[in-house]
Amino acid sequence: MFIELMQDADKNEILSYMLPYEKFSVTLYSEILHGGKSIYVLRGNFGEIHGIFSWWQGSSIHHCLPEVYGKNRSEIESAFVKFFEENSIKYIFSISGEKSGTLMLKKILENSFEKTPKVQIEYFLMENGRFDSAKDLARMNRQLSVEKCGEQEISRVFPLQVEFEKEEVVFEPELFNEDHCLAKFENFVDAGAVFVGKIKNAPLCKLTVSAQGKNYVLLGGVFTVPKYRNCGLAKALLNSVSQKFAAQSKKCTLFVKTENKAAIKVYEKTGFKKFCNFEILYY
């Protein structure tokens, strides 16, 4: 078994391989679909595919490794050991993906390279399997209007993104970089990927479409101004956005920290169901 860099000619073959696993790796599928670079393919001795991962600037790995508990486990591990020996892991920052694949890579880095993560965060991946009718949607919060965030709204909506990142993303407050956060947020706004919920023109909740694949989209950055939580705003926002993508024959997924019971309750009430354990390691 060996690992090689994806070539343009491999794109359709790789997308076909990943399609049954798309909802587990929407970000990775989207990267490949839209011409992403630094995509690697795990192949068997006859050229068959056994997994896919991105290796972004030699620092972050996002993987789709559905066979880690199969008969090829030892061969997969050996292929990754060789890959890491040939590609410096000095600046590795993170590993993310379905839990079993992440834990396998964690074990390899610990046993063969003495690399131990500083932070390990567990999530549930959830999928929306229920869509409320337009009538029910209208009843949820009649005052809330949902729209895409435009460039002219950035200064009003960005504070919600800052608070979200401080609450859910940055595990060391001193690491938060507002300029970097703003640059990312502006890119999402430019792509039409930020939805905001307003009452009387005041932005009170928001979410981001983090990635779009063929049949699935990944939602993230769901945030409600603390003063207005437990009022059904997040549920109404999620339902509205899910409806928009359902009209395009796409289902919505999201991931949530396993310890965030309040958010899980909101998502379950909105029709989301857990289907996978997801894990991110930070080094």
Side-chain angles (χ1 to χ4, degrees):
M1 200 167 287
F2 61 96
I3 292 171
E4 65 177 8
L5 183 65
M6 183 190 86
Q7 304 300 314
D8 289 341
D10 301 330
K11 180 177 177 178
N12 289 336
E13 177 194 15
I14 290 169
L15 289 173
S16 294
Y17 171 82
M18 283 199 64
L19 194 59
Y21 313 111
E22 180 189 359
K23 70 179 182 178
F24 298 89
S25 307
V26 180
T27 301
L28 182 56
Y29 190 95
S30 178
E31 282 184 54
I32 299 166
L33 186 65
H34 298 105
K37 306 299 181 184
S38 299
I39 306 295
Y40 288 83
V41 189
L42 177 66
R43 292 190 183 273
N45 296 330
F46 297 99
E48 73 280 11
I49 299 176
H50 291 277
I52 311 290
F53 67 96
S54 61
W55 175 237
W56 188 75
Q57 295 185 351
S59 64
S60 296
I61 295 173
H62 186 66
H63 61 80
C64 174
L65 300 169
E67 300 180 34
V68 294
Y69 285 134
K71 61 182 180 180
N72 297 312
R73 167 105 182 198
S74 62
E75 291 181 71
I76 292 173
E77 290 180 348
S78 296
F80 271 101
V81 169
K82 184 178 180 181
F83 176 82
F84 291 139
E85 287 174 344
E86 295 173 351
N87 297 270
S88 174
I89 58 169
K90 182 178 180 181
Y91 300 107
I92 190 165
F93 173 69
S94 67
I95 298 174
S96 60
E98 191 275 327
K99 185 175 181 177
S100 59
T102 299
L103 293 182
M104 182 196 73
L105 295 175
K106 174 177 178 280
K107 177 184 173 185
I108 290 170
L109 292 179
E110 286 178 340
N111 294 346
S112 299
F113 302 94
E114 298 183 344
K115 285 277 188 180
T116 303
K118 294 179 181 178
V119 178
Q120 187 167 332
I121 306 176
E122 296 187 358
Y123 299 85
F124 292 122
L125 262 174
M126 304 182 77
E127 173 184 1
N128 194 346
R130 187 194 77 225
F131 302 103
D132 292 295
S133 68
K135 188 175 181 180
D136 288 337
L137 194 58
R139 284 182 186 147
M140 280 185 190
N141 199 308
R142 289 194 174 98
Q143 293 181 299
L144 190 76
S145 63
V146 175
E147 59 191 56
K148 286 185 179 180
C149 177
E151 184 178 350
Q152 71 281 1
E153 290 283 288
I154 287 177
S155 62
R156 300 179 68 224
V157 181
F158 180 61
L160 278 67
Q161 181 67 23
V162 170
E163 292 306 310
F164 165 76
E165 295 217 4
K166 287 181 176 179
E167 279 189 17
E168 293 294 328
V169 179
V170 180
F171 47 87
E172 295 180 14
E174 62 272 17
L175 295 179
F176 178 73
N177 184 317
E178 187 165 325
D179 290 338
H180 179 61
C181 178
L182 177 59
K184 287 193 304 178
F185 187 70
E186 288 175 337
N187 287 338
F188 278 117
V189 171
D190 288 344
V194 178
F195 287 85
V196 57
K198 299 178 182 179
I199 292 180
K200 295 182 180 179
N201 204 37
L204 301 181
C205 55
K206 48 77 63 179
L207 64 77
T208 302
V209 180
S210 302
Q212 289 197 53
K214 182 178 181 179
N215 300 311
Y216 291 90
V217 299
L218 177 67
L219 306 180
V222 181
F223 181 84
T224 302
V225 173
K227 181 180 177 180
Y228 294 93
R229 290 175 183 173
N230 301 313
C231 298
L233 301 186
K235 182 179 179 182
L237 176 63
L238 283 162
N239 265 284
S240 178
V241 174
S242 295
Q243 288 275 15
K244 292 179 189 296
F245 285 108
Q248 302 173 34
S249 300
K250 292 184 178 183
K251 287 187 175 183
C252 291
T253 64
L254 53 79
F255 55 84
V256 57
K257 289 178 181 176
T258 56
E259 64 188 31
N260 193 342
K261 307 301 183 185
I264 292 170
K265 187 176 180 180
V266 170
Y267 299 149
E268 288 178 335
K269 284 183 176 179
T270 312
F272 283 83
K273 294 182 178 180
K274 303 169 193 169
F275 69 88
C276 168
N277 290 91
F278 191 94
E279 193 146 327
I280 302 179
L281 310 177
Y282 293 99
Y283 288 83

